[in-house]
């Protein structure tokens, strides 16, 4: 059996799985990409700041595009066949997603990338800088996992082939922007004097929540079709909150505004192409 036949067999086996299982595997993929980004700490002690800001900008563009093309637009399309106004689930879900992340931002102690320990947000705590940094990225990754989960779970509510293709496009896009996230966590920890192994551990740990969130999201919409447009929009609102609250300010912190903005537009374009071409 050649490699092409093996690939086709894997593809068929994946398509035969339940949406919840597909979501779990997709979440494991995005976690693995984060781990690959974190593994750069074994090759170098520091990443050029311009390169890091460019990667953060790229991540922001991917998340913005995914929020519309893969989440909000399908939510509105699904709602057109329901009794409530087509804009209602998208508007409610979107605002609720942002409000939930805002509440988490206020209730959980965390530290944004590039910030000093005295700039930590949320309740005051004596937790270490590494713990606060990982918490911030973990909060960031929860809506990404949910987005993947509701995309795969939504396959049961529509065209199976097109739905899976769209969910795979979303997974590829989120995986693409997870690579720099892993680097952005592990590198500052290494620069602070942490060992390579521990810096890598914390870098990959920040995305460990994604497979869990993906399974939860898929299960929720699989067992209750009514929540699908709300869940899609919720994930979109949470992701947009992360982009505006964290990624854009962090990519501008060192003055590389133009570079980060250009890379954000490139990331948006890449994700748009992925979603339209595959979805």
């Amino acid at each position: 059996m050649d490699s092409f036949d093996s690939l086709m067999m894997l593809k068929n086996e994946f398509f035969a799985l339940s949406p919840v299982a597909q979501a779990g595997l997709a979440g494991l993929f995005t976690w693995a990409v984060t781990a690959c980004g974190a593994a750069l700490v074994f090759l170098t002690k520091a990443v050029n700041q311009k390169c890091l800001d460019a990667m953060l900008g790229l991540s922001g563009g991917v998340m913005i595009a995914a929020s519309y093309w893969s989440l909000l637009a399908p939510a509105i399309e699904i709602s057109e066949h329901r009794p409530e106004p087509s804009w209602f689930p998208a508007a409610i879900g979107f605002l609720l997603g942002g409000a939930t992340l805002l509440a988490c931002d206020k209730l959980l102690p965390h530290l944004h990338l590039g910030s000093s320990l005295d700039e930590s947000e949320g309740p005051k705590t004596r937790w270490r800088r590494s713990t606060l940094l990982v918490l911030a990225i973990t909060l960031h990754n929860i809506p990404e996992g949910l987005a993947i989960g509701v995309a795969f779970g939504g396959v049961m509510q529509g065209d199976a082939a097109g739905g899976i293709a769209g969910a795979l496009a979303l997974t590829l896009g989120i995986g693409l922007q997870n690579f720099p996230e892993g680097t952005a966590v592990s590198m500052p920890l290494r620069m602070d004097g942490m060992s390579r192994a521990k810096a890598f551990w914390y870098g990959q740990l920040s995305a460990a929540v994604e497979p869990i969130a993906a399974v939860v999201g898929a299960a929720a919409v699989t067992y209750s079709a009514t929540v699908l447009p709300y869940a899609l929009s919720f994930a979109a609102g949470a992701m947009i909150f992360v982009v505006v609250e964290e990624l854009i300010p962090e990519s501008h912190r060192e003055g590389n505004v133009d570079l980060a903005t250009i890379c954000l537009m490139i990331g948006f374009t890449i994700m748009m192409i992925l979603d339209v071409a595959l979805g």
Side-chain angles (χ1 to χ4, degrees):
M1 183 181 295
D2 58 27
S3 58
F4 177 77
D5 290 336
S6 299
L7 186 62
M8 292 302 296
M9 182 177 294
L10 288 174
K11 172 188 171 185
N12 292 335
E13 289 178 355
F14 179 81
F15 278 27
L17 295 173
S18 70
V20 175
Q22 290 172 346
L25 289 174
L28 287 173
F29 166 76
T30 57
W31 163 80
V33 177
T34 306
C36 289
L40 287 182
V41 77
F42 292 110
L43 303 177
T44 180
K45 189 174 180 178
V47 173
N48 180 272
Q49 186 62 48
K50 286 187 176 182
C51 180
L52 186 58
D53 290 341
M55 291 192 294
L56 290 171
L58 189 77
S59 296
V62 168
M63 290 180 69
I64 292 172
S67 296
Y68 176 73
W69 296 99
S70 298
L71 300 171
L72 279 176
I76 294 171
E77 184 177 353
I78 292 168
S79 300
E80 289 175 350
H81 306 289
R82 301 195 177 199
E84 66 264 46
S86 59
W87 52 264
F88 184 79
I92 296 300
F94 184 83
L95 292 176
L96 188 59
T100 301
L101 262 289
L102 177 62
C104 291
D105 202 53
K106 299 298 183 184
L107 296 175
L108 295 176
H110 60 282
L111 181 67
H112 294 307
L113 297 173
S115 301
S116 59
L117 190 56
D118 59 2
E119 294 178 287
S120 62
E121 299 182 5
K124 296 301 179 183
T125 179
R126 294 183 179 179
W127 291 351
R128 297 170 61 182
R129 184 176 187 271
S130 58
T131 303
L132 294 172
L133 187 61
V134 171
L135 271 176
I137 303 299
T138 299
L139 286 175
H140 177 155
N141 285 332
I142 290 174
E144 294 175 10
L146 287 174
I148 292 171
V150 297
F152 278 100
V155 171
M156 293 191 66
Q157 314 304 330
D159 179 80
I164 290 178
L168 288 174
L170 177 63
T171 301
L172 286 173
I174 290 178
L176 174 68
Q177 63 93 38
N178 270 12
F179 186 90
E181 284 183 8
T183 305
V185 176
S186 63
M187 285 300 177
L189 298 178
R190 175 60 180 155
M191 292 172 66
D192 285 348
M194 186 176 288
S195 70
R196 284 186 171 90
K198 288 188 68 175
F200 166 76
W201 169 255
Y202 282 116
Q204 64 80 32
L205 186 63
S206 64
V209 70
E210 287 199 12
I212 300 171
V215 168
V216 171
V221 300
T222 297
Y223 297 116
S224 179
T226 304
V227 305
L228 178 57
Y230 294 93
L232 288 167
S233 305
F234 179 94
M239 288 173 65
I240 291 296
F241 181 90
V242 168
V243 173
V244 178
E245 168 76 7
E246 298 180 23
L247 292 183
I248 292 177
E250 287 158 13
S251 67
H252 291 182
R253 181 184 291 269
E254 300 299 326
N256 298 312
V257 177
D258 290 342
L259 175 64
T261 302
I262 291 171
C263 289
L264 185 146
M265 296 183 70
I266 293 172
F268 184 98
T269 303
I270 291 172
M271 184 63 220
M272 178 179 65
I273 292 172
L274 277 175
D275 192 85
V276 174
L278 298 180

